[in-house]
Amino acid sequence: MILRLANIMDTAIVPAFGLLPMTFDTPKSRVLLLAIGLQESRFEFRRQLGNGPARGFWQFERGTRASRGGVWGLYLHPASRNMLAKLCLDRDCAFDPHPIWERIETDDVLAAGVARLMLWTSPKKLPEVGDEQGAWAYYLDTWRPGKPHPSTWPALYAQALDFISHHSERNPHV
C-alpha cells in the first residue's frame, strides 16, 4: 500500500497541487485527499463498481445543474469555478461538466485537482492532521456519499496519516 500511496502522491496529488494555488498544498489536505481516495476507491478503481455514475479515484459524479453536486457543483461554485477553468486549461480538457467528468476517469492529475477543489468549496476549515472523526465529518459533508462505510474509515485514515507522517521528508511542503 505504501508504494501505491507514494505513486498516487507523486503522479496525481503533487502535480495537481502544482496547478493550484500554493496554499492548497498542506499536510491537512494531503492526509484528507489520501484518506478520501482510499475510502472511495482504494486507489484501485477509476469507475464506480457496477458501472455507477462516479469516476476517478475520488469517485466524482457528474451531478446536474439543478443538483449542484459533483462536477457540476464545482463548475457552478463561485469559489472553485475560475480555478477549475484554469485546471482544465492546464490539463487540455474542455471546461464543461461532461468532459471534465469523463476525463477524471483517466486523468489522475485532473481528478486530484477536482478533489482538492471540492475540499476548497466547504465553508468549514480542514480538520487538523490526526483528527479522524473531524476528517470523517468533513468527508461526509463534502462528498455526500450515498452509502458511507464508517467501519472502514478509521483504518484507511490511519494509513493516510501514517504515510504523510513518515514520508514528509520527500516534500518540504508536507
Side-chain angles (χ1 to χ4, degrees):
M1 182 55 74
I2 289 174
L3 289 176
R4 182 176 303 138
L5 295 183
N7 185 44
I8 292 298
M9 188 61 68
D10 292 344
T11 64
I13 295 173
V14 170
F17 282 146
L19 302 175
L20 296 168
M22 287 179 57
T23 57
F24 279 33
D25 186 358
T26 66
K28 293 176 188 179
S29 63
R30 286 178 178 231
V31 169
L32 204 49
L33 286 175
L34 286 177
I36 292 170
L38 286 166
Q39 181 75 8
E40 288 289 324
S41 72
R42 306 297 192 270
F43 293 114
E44 294 176 18
F45 309 104
R46 288 183 174 90
R47 181 177 283 236
Q48 186 174 354
L49 296 176
N51 202 28
R55 301 288 184 263
F57 284 140
W58 287 271
Q59 296 291 287
F60 262 84
E61 294 185 12
R62 182 175 36 188
T64 65
R65 180 180 288 277
S67 75
R68 300 184 73 86
V71 175
W72 263 104
L74 293 177
Y75 181 81
L76 296 171
H77 199 288
S80 58
R81 184 175 172 83
N82 291 338
M83 287 183 276
L84 180 60
K86 181 187 178 306
L87 184 62
C88 287
L89 181 64
D90 290 340
R91 297 306 296 168
D92 195 29
C93 178
F95 180 55
D96 185 74
H98 189 76
I100 296 168
W101 173 75
E102 286 181 330
R103 178 73 70 82
I104 60 176
E105 184 175 353
T106 58
D107 185 335
D108 297 338
V109 175
L110 181 62
V114 165
R116 181 59 180 99
L117 288 175
M118 181 59 83
L119 298 178
W120 175 249
T121 63
S122 174
K124 299 176 182 175
K125 293 171 86 174
L126 288 173
E128 294 298 322
V129 172
D131 180 4
E132 174 199 310
Q133 287 306 307
W136 173 252
Y138 200 91
Y139 160 68
L140 291 177
D141 188 53
T142 53
W143 253 251
R144 299 184 311 216
K147 296 179 182 176
H149 301 281
S151 63
T152 60
W153 182 259
L156 297 174
Y157 183 84
Q159 285 179 34
L161 180 61
D162 182 64
F163 179 83
I164 294 300
S165 298
H166 290 97
H167 294 86
S168 61
E169 67 277 0
R170 295 182 70 193
N171 189 317
H173 296 291
V174 177

